[in-house]
Amino acid sequence: MPEQQIPAADRFARERMRHRFTAREVAVTAVSSPAEPFIRITLSGPDLHDFVSDGPADHARLFFPHPITGELVAPTPVGPGEDGIVRPEAPMFPRDFTPLNLRTDPETGLRAFDVDFLQHPDPGPASAWAASAKPGDRLVVVGPRGSVRAPQGADRLLLIVDPSALPSATRWINEVPERTEVEVIADASPADLEWIEAYLREQSGREVTVGEAFGTLADAAADAGIDEGTYLFAAGEASRLIPLRRLVKYEYGIPRAQYALSGYWKRGMANFDHHAPIDPEDPED
């Protein structure tokens, strides 16, 4: 008797959870570099006592000081233990980042997490702040509102990411079972593949081979193959993801439960909202 096929909704089920949504003040406790293009900032503080991040695609919104005046304008909590924030009227400088390595500091007993800032030739407010950050500097963190865990039933995890999404990629690798085969395709120059592979290995503890994306990201996915046991996560420059989205949605007809695509930034647009539709001509999933 043939083996019964497992429905995609069951094979790729992802547990969802909600968290208290509030604003938390944090301080820089350490600055390091896990790989040459990244600056790692460790953030900690009493407000993180109930901070939760259980999903590989989680984003926390960091609010940075004004790049000229240095004034930190950011939301504040509605009240102790309550859900919600109060947004100020003045301009703010927020950016979304993936929280890494959430833990309790053994010396202080306070919760802490890391943020990896990718350095650019023309840095924005976040990258510029990270380049000069020092212990004691303060930020405000809002979110994540909730988490969606990695699928535990996938036979294979295919990650197609550019350098901006590497922190999230490390969480995906860490949060799938050891039995899940992991394949990474980097939307980056060939010269970057060595350090990308080293970064993923160092952060995940797994030996992961990184391949180059030839042609469009749709071409890269077609070359890698997406079978019924593969879960696809792709993230990076939003315009690059459009052909890939059309491939998996229309040409391959892959069930929605089997993939997640996220535009982390968009060429020519400052502070792109990663919740915005990847494909403006087809905004519906």
Side-chain angles (χ1 to χ4, degrees):
M1 186 178 225
E3 184 180 345
Q4 187 174 7
Q5 185 174 352
I6 303 173
D10 295 334
R11 182 193 293 271
F12 304 109
R14 300 179 61 192
E15 182 185 359
R16 296 175 178 270
M17 59 215 72
R18 300 288 293 179
H19 310 314
R20 184 167 80 94
F21 182 67
T22 189
R24 298 175 168 91
E25 187 173 308
V26 294
V28 175
T29 58
V31 180
S32 59
S33 178
E36 186 177 346
F38 283 111
I39 294 176
R40 171 165 292 177
I41 305 294
T42 301
L43 300 170
S44 184
D47 286 356
L48 293 178
H49 68 93
D50 62 348
F51 180 86
V52 181
S53 177
D54 287 329
D58 284 0
H59 287 82
R61 176 153 286 196
L62 273 56
F63 289 79
F64 296 91
H66 191 290
I68 297 175
T69 68
E71 181 184 8
L72 177 58
V73 179
T76 55
V78 170
E82 294 186 42
D83 197 84
I85 60 175
V86 178
R87 293 176 172 84
E89 297 290 339
M92 297 179 287
F93 293 86
R95 296 291 188 273
D96 291 334
F97 288 89
T98 301
L100 298 172
N101 310 317
L102 180 60
R103 61 200 182 274
T104 298
D105 187 308
E107 294 185 5
T108 66
L110 298 177
R111 299 281 273 171
F113 66 89
D114 299 325
V115 178
D116 285 352
F117 292 78
L118 184 67
Q119 296 302 289
H120 307 279
D122 183 21
S127 295
W129 175 86
S132 61
K134 60 187 183 303
D137 289 350
R138 307 194 77 79
L139 295 179
V140 169
V141 177
V142 173
R145 287 180 179 268
S147 298
V148 186
R149 292 189 187 273
Q152 300 299 294
D155 298 325
R156 175 172 171 253
L157 173 65
L158 176 61
L159 301 171
I160 302 179
V161 293
D162 74 7
S164 71
L166 289 174
S168 181
T170 69
R171 292 200 57 172
W172 281 94
I173 296 168
N174 281 327
E175 295 172 28
V176 294
E178 282 290 332
R179 65 169 185 79
T180 301
E181 177 190 349
V182 177
E183 182 175 351
V184 180
I185 297 174
D187 188 18
S189 70
D192 291 330
L193 298 187
E194 185 175 351
W195 75 258
I196 289 173
E197 194 168 284
Y199 173 82
L200 294 176
R201 182 175 59 251
E202 180 68 24
Q203 303 311 310
S204 70
R206 290 180 65 163
E207 291 293 336
V208 178
T209 301
V210 178
E212 182 183 354
F214 295 102
T216 68
L217 298 189
D219 294 331
D223 290 342
I226 305 174
D227 61 22
E228 63 183 19
T230 297
Y231 188 89
L232 168 67
F233 173 73
E237 201 278 322
S239 301
R240 290 276 290 164
L241 294 169
I242 292 175
L244 174 58
R245 181 177 180 274
R246 292 174 179 173
L247 176 80
V248 298
K249 182 177 180 181
Y250 296 112
E251 190 171 336
Y252 285 1
I254 293 174
R256 185 63 188 85
Q258 197 174 341
Y259 66 91
L261 310 180
S262 185
Y264 278 14
W265 60 286
K266 190 168 186 177
R267 190 167 283 104
M269 183 179 294
N271 200 21
F272 175 72
D273 183 357
H274 72 272
H275 294 108
I278 291 171
D279 188 350
E281 295 182 9
D282 181 22
E284 295 185 5
D285 257 331

